[in-house]
Structures are given as structure tokens and as C-alpha cells.
Amino acid sequence: RLQTVKQEGECAALLSRNEWERPIRGDHPDLDAARDTGLKPILTKKLARKLKPMFETSVRRTIYPMRDGQTEIELTLDEGKVVAGRKASPLHEVELELKSGAPIDLFKLARQLGQDVPIQLSLRTKSERGYALVDGKPFEPVKALPVVLTRDYAADASLQAIARACLHQLIANQPLIRVGKPEALHQMRVAVRRLRAALSLFSAMLTDTQSQELKSQLRWLTSELTPARELDVFIGRVTELMADKPGLATVLQDLRQRRGQAYARVRSACNSFRSRDLVLSTAAWIEVGDWTRNSDEDARALRQRSVVEAADDELQRRAKKIRKHGKHLDKLSPRRRHKLRLQTKKLRYAAEFFAAVFPGRKASKKREIFVATLEKLQDALGELNDITVHEDLSAGLVHHNGNDDRSTDRARARKALAAGRRAGFVA
């Protein structure tokens, strides 16, 4: 028997975790053999009495040792199921473990496998699957996780910690999008936006071609997710404005058909090689990307500077820019208002990313007020942007010629939405 204690890491260790293994005798856990593991703080006699089996993982494991020069990687293929009582969940996992060599070789192999097999990077462990079966609850959409930074972090380590948290949120929500959960789609978009914001915050040290390509691929993913999310919001708005008006059922039928097509586009994007490779290449970029080894003297100096200095510069510069553009809000075009909204969103994300860099009660209070103000501004600009987006979407409601009842219903809907937009502008 081999007893294993695994300690799930924080986002700072996205693809690794602490693990302790000890040979034991018998069929029950040997807690004495776990004294020097991550369980140490909670090991008590009371815990020992309460400990009991919750689920069983039954797998057929095949191990392929792979060597190339100085690099040694162990590829493990697990096929089986997780069983909790009468409930079971199928299991098909490939795990790559670097035994010796450079981490970049591990990511190269993963991406090579992805070209031949539709593998998807997953953070869901066997134990999470087991406990989900025990609880009988489906996996829920995952919101943004807190980023843990300290004042002694350098800029490069800070970017890695932030990017890991964003990638964790993206990966965690992808499986739920395939079953059409609107909140999962929203949270995945948030993850992509936060990651793009992080790249923007540290853009001065990301001048390499690989970083520019990552930005381009993230913009593509955003474009694939956006139409479905816009229709989710629009349908809610239509339902609100037409709650007591005839024709609502006809209009909703049209919009839900369009939303179904938009979600099919999302699923197609998430299942595509491009999306799967994007996730793998993002993980590789975070850990061993070209930017981490850029020998340019200026780039190296920017990577090594204190996160306190980097955060202070970015927060002040971006706040000043928003104040400047906000003075002429009433004269901005819809496109420039949308750009101001994105700038506001990036500043709010930055304030959240760098929260731990400025500790203390006074700083915390100031940050709460600052973030709350940014959220109000972001929401107001979001309302203005929704008016523009909904204007375009409602234009498609009347797309049939003739005087049939369905065309009349669509015309009523368009009129109600136009009145709603005018009310929104007045508000």
C-alpha cells in the first residue's frame, strides 16, 4: 500500500502541488506516517476517529517513461472511474511529470500531444470529482480568485502570480460552458479580460513576439465569447421592457434561436484545437515564456524592479488618464466611451491585483472607496455601452417583410426597446 497526502496549491502554483508518499501496511490510513506532511497542523485523535472512506477511485494506470537527451518525463495515462456509493464519474486523464530537464520541454511535449489528441488542460482533481459525487452537487461557475502578492515580490513574479489566477478561472469555467451555463460564460470572459488587463499592466516588459501573439489569441477568444454574452444580457433587457406587452413570446423565440447559435459558436471555439492550444501555450508562457528570459537590459531591469514601484506607477498613470478623458464624457463617441469603460475596468482590476502590495487598515479603506467608485463608473459606462449594443441587436428584430402577426410583434418590440433606450439616455 502506498499512502499519499496531497496539498492543493494556491494559484501561485497552478500546475504543481505538494505531495508526500509513504509505504504503509494494512488497508487503513497510517496517520503516524503523515506527521511530517501538510496534514500536520490538523492531525488530532479526534480527526483520526472521524476519518472514514468517502469515495473510491478505480483506474487502470499505464506509465510511459520518455527520455530525450537530458530530459526525462513520465507520462501517466489513467482510465477508470470515481465511485461514491451508487454514483460514478468516468475518468480519462493524462499527467505529465518532469523528472529531469528543463520545464520548457514539458510544455513542448504537452503541445505536441495536443496536435494529435484533443486533450484539455484541467485543474479538477480526482478528489474534487469524488467529493462532488458525495455532495450530489454540480460544479458551479468559478469567480475570480484573490491574488496573493507581497511587497518583496519583483514585477516578473507578480505578473506570474496574477496570470496564474486568471488562467485558473478560465480553465475552471470552460467545462461548464459546454453545458450552456450563462454564468460560466460570463466568468470565463472575466478571466480573459483580467488576463488581458494583466498583460497591459506589465506591457513595458512584454515586448517579445511571443507575448504579442498571446495578446492576439486572447483577443480572438474574447471575440468568440462576446456575442453569446451580449444576447444573454439583451434577452434579460427585452423581457424587462416587454413584460406587459404583446409579442414578447415571438421576440424571445427569435432571440433564443440566435442565442443558441451564439452558444454553438462558443462551444465550437472552446473545443477547437486553437482554444486548447491557447490554454496550454498560456500556461507555458506564464512559466517559461520568452519574456522571462529576455536578455535585453531594459526588459531585465523592468522584470526585476519592485512590485511596489510597478504598482504605484501603473495605478497613478491610469487614474490620471481616466480623469482626463472623463472630463469630456458628454462629447465622446460611443467607441471612445467604450474605450474609457475598458480603461476603467483595467484600473479596477489593477487595484484588486495589487491589494496585498499596500497593506494596512488605512490603505485598505482607501482601496475600498477607490474600487467602489470605479465599479459605479464602470457600471454607468456599461449601461451606455449596452444601449449602443442593444441598438444594433434590436435592429435585427424586424427582418421579415409583410404584415403577418410575427412581423407586427417584432415591430412592437423594436418600438419598446427604442423607448427604453431613450429612458436610459435620460437617466
Side-chain angles (χ1 to χ4, degrees), residues 76-259:
T76 301
L77 175 63
D78 283 349
E79 295 183 285
K81 57 185 177 180
V82 183
V83 181
R86 295 183 178 181
K87 301 176 184 176
S89 175
L91 187 67
H92 304 280
E93 290 185 348
V94 177
E95 182 179 291
L96 300 177
E97 183 177 353
L98 184 66
K99 295 296 186 179
S100 64
I104 192 171
D105 294 328
L106 189 73
F107 289 105
K108 283 181 179 178
L109 176 59
R111 294 186 68 185
Q112 287 172 0
L113 286 172
Q115 293 178 1
D116 300 318
V117 183
I119 56 174
Q120 190 90 37
L121 186 60
S122 174
L123 303 177
R124 193 175 294 173
T125 64
K126 295 180 179 69
S127 60
E128 286 177 317
R129 293 171 182 266
Y131 287 120
L133 287 176
V134 171
D135 295 338
K137 297 178 181 178
F139 289 103
E140 294 297 328
V142 177
K143 294 186 177 182
L145 300 175
V147 179
V148 182
L149 303 178
T150 61
R151 292 175 66 86
D152 60 349
Y153 268 45
D156 55 358
S158 300
L159 173 56
Q160 287 176 315
I162 293 169
R164 287 174 189 136
C166 298
L167 184 58
H168 183 284
Q169 185 185 12
L170 190 159
I171 294 171
N173 285 291
Q174 238 180 354
L176 299 178
I177 285 182
R178 297 190 183 94
V179 295
K181 284 204 171 187
E183 181 60 20
L185 172 64
H186 173 56
Q187 292 303 328
M188 186 171 172
R189 287 184 74 240
V190 169
V192 177
R193 287 202 308 261
R194 284 167 65 86
L195 182 52
R196 292 177 64 187
L199 299 182
S200 176
L201 290 171
F202 294 92
S203 60
M205 65 185 193
L206 304 177
T207 57
D208 59 286
T209 303
Q210 190 182 65
S211 295
Q212 302 312 309
E213 174 61 19
L214 176 60
K215 293 177 184 179
S216 174
Q217 292 301 317
L218 290 172
R219 283 195 296 271
W220 164 77
L221 184 56
T222 300
S223 69
E224 294 298 302
L225 302 178
T226 297
R229 176 59 183 172
E230 287 179 344
L231 281 165
D232 280 336
V233 176
F234 186 52
I235 287 174
R237 185 66 171 155
V238 168
T239 304
E240 175 188 346
L241 289 173
M242 296 187 62
D244 56 348
K245 293 180 175 59
L248 176 60
T250 297
V251 173
L252 287 182
Q253 184 179 5
D254 287 350
L255 290 177
R256 284 168 181 160
Q257 182 179 1
R258 290 166 63 182
R259 181 172 63 176

Side-chain angles (χ1 to χ4, degrees), residues 205 207-208 289-304:
M205 65 185 193
T207 57
D208 59 286
D290 290 346
W291 71 276
T292 65
R293 305 184 305 276
N294 190 338
S295 59
D296 178 78
E297 191 173 322
D298 291 338
R300 185 166 60 249
L302 288 170
R303 291 199 305 270
Q304 294 173 353

Side-chain angles (χ1 to χ4, degrees), residues 1-5 20-30 33 56-58:
R1 305 291 184 186
L2 189 66
Q3 174 175 283
T4 306
V5 176
W20 298 265
E21 290 186 341
R22 287 280 299 274
I24 61 170
R25 296 179 179 178
D27 297 334
H28 299 282
D30 182 349
E56 179 180 347
T57 304
S58 177

Side-chain angles (χ1 to χ4, degrees), residues 299-354:
R300 185 166 60 249
L302 288 170
R303 291 199 305 270
Q304 294 173 353
R305 71 172 177 162
S306 164
V307 67
V308 178
E309 179 185 350
D312 189 53
D313 287 349
E314 282 298 311
L315 290 170
Q316 290 201 45
R317 182 179 69 83
R318 290 174 182 273
K320 183 178 180 181
K321 195 173 183 179
I322 288 173
R323 284 195 296 268
K324 178 182 177 181
H325 292 163
K327 290 179 181 178
H328 310 289
L329 178 62
D330 57 334
K331 298 178 182 178
L332 296 180
S333 65
R335 185 182 66 82
R336 293 188 68 83
R337 276 202 311 267
H338 178 57
K339 189 174 180 180
L340 178 61
R341 171 173 166 261
L342 295 180
Q343 292 171 343
T344 304
K345 192 177 296 183
K346 287 180 181 179
L347 180 58
R348 180 170 70 84
Y349 290 154
E352 293 171 351
F353 291 154
F354 296 131

Side-chain angles (χ1 to χ4, degrees), residues 2-23:
L2 189 66
Q3 174 175 283
T4 306
V5 176
K6 297 182 180 181
Q7 182 181 29
E8 291 304 315
E10 297 176 352
C11 293
L14 181 68
L15 301 175
S16 63
R17 59 181 173 229
N18 293 325
E19 190 169 298
W20 298 265
E21 290 186 341
R22 287 280 299 274

